[in-house]
Structures are given as structure tokens and as C-alpha cells.
Amino acid sequence: ISKLDLRTKKRELKPGGANIPVSEKNKKEYIERMVKWRIERGVVHQTESLVRGFYEVWLSVTELVSVFDARELELVIAGTAEIDLTDWRNNTEYRGGYHDNHIVIRWFWAAVERFNNEQRLRLLQFVTGTSSIPYEGFASLRGSNGPRRFCVEKWGKVTSLPRAHTCFNRLDLPPYPSFSVLYEKLLTAVEETSTFGLE
């Protein structure tokens, strides 16, 4: 199967196509190959330019983003939306003996209020694995198997750092004896450690 272009130059649409006459039996294949040839020949130069441009941009971006660690890069990409603390608190559940009015939980929220927005986003990322806030707010937070609210659970010794279970949006928070201890341990966990705990 072949095609004559406007300059009467033959182009084979498939190997040996010049020697294959178009018939009722192969006309569908001929039409498909003809359409493909017409589409591809018109965009070859544009496609090549697009690919070259993409690689040029990609190489530049790679150099620029190499200065960020994974958490910082997510903040750069996702942005730094202002966290609504009321929404966050209203959509948090507690386990292991903690409740909204427990002294450790009051200290926890006081610490979060004291954090700047970037530290709050890092706390969110530490516990959930992402610094992105759902468009619908914290009520729409998702875990690994569907909707999963932010959770703070009583766990561990007062000498331990808090730990996170990102699949469950759960922060394991030891029952610290004071606000200052809680604040320092929470800040250290959020800023200096990995996010994963084992069950």
C-alpha cells in the first residue's frame, strides 16, 4: 500500500506497500495507515521541538529543585495554604484516654497555635504524609483506605518523641508532664524525624 503525495513522490505506508494494490480486503488498513501518515507528517517538527523544549526545561527544573528535600519540595509544589485551626480541631478524634479537654490535648493545640503556618503544614505532613489540605477541609481528610479523620492517640513514655502513622492520619502522643516538654518533643518530631511508625 502506497500513496502519491502532491509532488508525485511515492511513500510506502508499510514495507513493500508499493507492490500491494488497494482492495476491498485491505482498504481499512490502507485508510488507517493513510490517516496515521497524514497526521504524523504534519506534526513531526512540532513534536520534536516540544520534546527538545521539555528536556531543556526538565534539566533546568532538576537543577533548581535539587536544593529541596522531599518535604520542602511538596510545600513548594502544593503551596502553603493557611490552615484553619478551628476546622482542624473540630475534625480531630482522640483515643487511648485522650479527649478534647484533656490537659495534654489542650497543650497540643496550644503548641499548634504557637507554630507558624509552615510548621503546622509540616505537622500535617508528619502525621498524614502530605501537606495538602483537602479542598473541603479537614472533614474530607483521607487515609490509605478511604476517609480517615486526623487522630491523636495516647501512647508511649514521656521520654519518647511523638510518632506518626501516615496511613491512618494518627499521631501517637505520649502523656507529657508539661507544655514545654510537649512543645519541644513535638517540634523535634516534626522537624527532625521520619514520619513512619510500626505497629
Side-chain angles (χ1 to χ4, degrees), residues 85 107-117 119-120 179-180 183-184 187:
L85 290 180
W107 290 337
F108 169 76
W109 289 113
V112 174
E113 287 176 16
R114 198 163 150 189
F115 284 177
N116 62 39
N117 198 59
Q119 291 168 320
R120 291 174 188 161
F179 171 78
S180 61
Y183 185 85
E184 290 304 317
L187 192 59

Side-chain angles (χ1 to χ4, degrees), residues 93-99 102-105 151-157 163 170-176:
E93 60 185 42
Y94 307 99
R95 294 186 186 158
Y98 282 155
H99 50 82
H102 191 284
I103 188 66
V104 173
I105 296 302
C151 177
V152 182
E153 184 165 340
K154 185 187 242 182
W155 163 88
K157 300 176 182 173
R163 69 180 184 181
R170 188 176 81 220
L171 176 67
D172 289 345
L173 187 66
Y176 296 118

Side-chain angles (χ1 to χ4, degrees), residues 8-180:
T8 64
K9 184 176 177 184
K10 282 190 174 186
R11 304 237 182 220
E12 289 191 338
L13 300 176
K14 76 180 207 177
N19 300 322
I20 303 172
V22 177
S23 67
E24 195 63 37
K25 192 174 183 180
N26 66 7
K27 77 177 179 183
K28 182 178 181 218
E29 178 188 8
Y30 169 77
I31 292 170
E32 288 172 353
R33 289 180 180 271
M34 175 60 76
V35 168
K36 183 176 186 244
W37 177 78
R38 286 185 180 244
I39 290 172
E40 287 178 353
R41 76 180 168 117
V43 296
V44 167
H45 297 297
Q46 293 92 331
T47 302
E48 288 172 351
S49 296
L50 177 67
V51 169
R52 264 193 318 276
F54 176 78
Y55 282 117
E56 287 175 17
V57 169
W58 179 251
L59 291 174
S60 298
V61 168
T62 303
E63 291 172 13
L64 292 173
V65 299
S66 66
V67 299
F68 299 106
D69 66 24
R71 291 192 308 177
E72 293 168 333
L73 185 58
E74 184 182 3
L75 290 174
V76 168
I77 292 170
T80 55
E82 195 68 34
I83 291 183
D84 180 345
L85 290 180
T86 303
D87 179 45
W88 191 355
R89 189 170 186 165
N90 288 340
N91 288 288
T92 296
E93 60 185 42
Y94 307 99
R95 294 186 186 158
Y98 282 155
H99 50 82
D100 192 52
N101 204 30
H102 191 284
I103 188 66
V104 173
I105 296 302
R106 291 197 327 242
W107 290 337
F108 169 76
W109 289 113
V112 174
E113 287 176 16
R114 198 163 150 189
F115 284 177
N116 62 39
N117 198 59
E118 183 181 340
Q119 291 168 320
R120 291 174 188 161
L121 288 166
R122 285 183 180 264
L123 171 62
L124 180 63
Q125 187 174 45
F126 176 75
V127 178
T128 67
T130 180
S131 62
S132 298
I133 304 164
Y135 176 75
E136 302 86 0
F138 282 91
S140 297
L141 207 57
R142 299 187 62 80
S144 62
N145 58 353
R148 174 87 52 177
R149 292 175 68 177
F150 190 89
C151 177
V152 182
E153 184 165 340
K154 185 187 242 182
W155 163 88
K157 300 176 182 173
V158 295
T159 56
S160 302
L161 288 174
R163 69 180 184 181
H165 302 274
T166 57
C167 292
F168 306 108
N169 297 338
R170 188 176 81 220
L171 176 67
D172 289 345
L173 187 66
Y176 296 118
S178 69
F179 171 78
S180 61

